[in-house]
Amino acid sequence: LGERLAVRLHLMMCRFCSRYRKQLQMLRVVANRYVQEIEPSRSLDLFSLPEEARSRIQRALADQMLEKHRYSNQEPPSRLDSTTLTTPSIPAASCGMQKYR
Amino acid sequence: MEERMPTPKKDPRSDPERWLDEHGNYLFGYAVTRLRDRALAEDMVQETLLAAIQGRDRFEGRSSERTWLVGILKHKILDHIRRKNREIPVTEVVGPDESIDVLFDERGKWKYGPSAWADDPELSVTEKEFWTAFIRCLEKLPGHLGQVFALRELEGFERSEIRNLLGLTSTNLGVILHRARMRLRRCLEVNWFGEEDSGRE
């Protein structure tokens, strides 16, 4: 108990300690501000998907669309085999993990 | 004579092309700050949009398109964290953190005090340069420090949720979080607020 009291007394008198503590607390405020205001803002342009990645993703999406289109035009498969199995998709409405404060 | 309403021009882009154009940068930024790995973040954007193609018939428009896409991305990110944690579990954090050594001398006294940051955070936090520095510092947080910080401070997870997700003890989580904040503080001090207060206490 005495030690705890001594630490508390030290913190009260120590200018750098209280400044340091305030700054650590401020990081929470800054992070929160980032999530609430900066990240959703469409004007800041803090991130840009590299062109090379953008084209790669574009190609992957086009392939997938083609695949989906081709599959939807086919007769339903008579039996399941490895070529007709599709990856399970994520339910569109289940946007869980909404953890914004 | 009855005037015909002009038919709205149909967007020539397919939905996935439009998603990439309109939300690609946002999704990328979201993944970068949560995972601190740009190549992985690119993959996450791709996986998200591919999953969105599969699931779009069930998107009922109750939320915005962006919210829907971010929902999918969050699932992907969490899956990745779970998988990675199974491969490389967080180990007990022991020993001092070298990032704080710079602040104190061998007798434990402040070598240099923390610099005085602007009292008016409003001013700095509206500047794009500040947020660029903030993001760069986030990306520099190593491994589990960055992971835990992102889950707690960006995703808003409760401590108990993080403990369960990563299999951490309460003490260990506290230490990791504290170290992450110390490193981030230090990085912002060097890259944004200016160097230490050289005056002794």
Side-chain angles (χ1 to χ4, degrees), chain B residues 24-106:
Chain B
N25 289 345
Y26 175 77
L27 295 172
F28 177 60
Y30 194 98
V32 168
T33 47
R34 270 59 173 187
L35 297 164
R36 299 157 324 284
D37 177 337
R38 291 193 174 230
L40 178 62
E42 290 171 8
D43 292 347
M44 288 284 153
V45 174
Q46 177 168 322
E47 281 187 33
T48 297
L49 296 180
L50 289 176
I53 291 177
Q54 293 287 1
R56 71 172 162 172
D57 299 340
R58 277 164 290 172
F59 172 55
E60 292 158 347
R62 275 184 299 200
S63 57
S64 76
E65 204 169 68
R66 178 170 283 197
T67 307
W68 169 56
L69 292 171
V70 170
I72 300 174
L73 176 61
K74 283 176 181 230
H75 276 287
K76 299 268 170 207
I77 291 174
L78 261 196
D79 279 349
H80 172 83
I81 293 173
R82 276 196 203 96
R83 210 167 40 239
K84 197 172 166 205
N85 195 54
R86 272 199 297 272
E87 289 162 15
I88 317 164
V90 185
T91 46
E92 200 70 22
V93 179
V94 283
D97 185 348
E98 70 278 8
S99 77
I100 62 164
D101 287 352
V102 68
L103 296 172
F104 302 102
D105 64 18
E106 61 284 355

Side-chain angles (χ1 to χ4, degrees), chain A residues 14-16 19-20 23 27-28 33 39 44 49 54 56 64 68 89 92 94 97 99 101, chain B residues 25 34 42 54-55 58 68 74-75 78 114-115 125 128 153 155 161 181 185 197 199 201:
Chain A
C14 164
R15 176 168 63 98
F16 286 158
R19 187 188 282 174
Y20 193 78
Q23 291 176 357
L27 291 181
R28 291 210 80 178
R33 178 105 190 262
E39 190 166 58
L44 275 175
L49 196 56
R54 191 177 287 275
R56 178 162 38 84
Q64 172 99 344
K68 202 171 182 228
S89 58
S94 73
M97 246 184 83
K99 288 285 178 181
R101 283 162 296 190
Chain B
N25 289 345
R34 270 59 173 187
E42 290 171 8
Q54 293 287 1
R58 277 164 290 172
W68 169 56
K74 283 176 181 230
H75 276 287
L78 261 196
S115 67
V125 293
K128 184 174 175 176
E153 306 296 4
E155 287 300 312
E161 293 175 292
R181 290 189 185 125
R185 189 210 73 85
D197 193 329
E201 214 181 345

Side-chain angles (χ1 to χ4, degrees), chain B residues 10 12 22 35 37 43 45 59 63-64 68 85-87 107 117 120 123-124 141 160 162 169 176-177:
Chain B
K10 194 177 176 329
E22 290 176 11
L35 297 164
D37 177 337
D43 292 347
V45 174
F59 172 55
S63 57
S64 76
W68 169 56
N85 195 54
R86 272 199 297 272
E87 289 162 15
R107 287 173 303 150
W117 290 4
D120 178 15
L123 176 74
S124 52
L141 285 178
S160 57
I162 302 175
T169 63
I176 291 176
L177 256 179

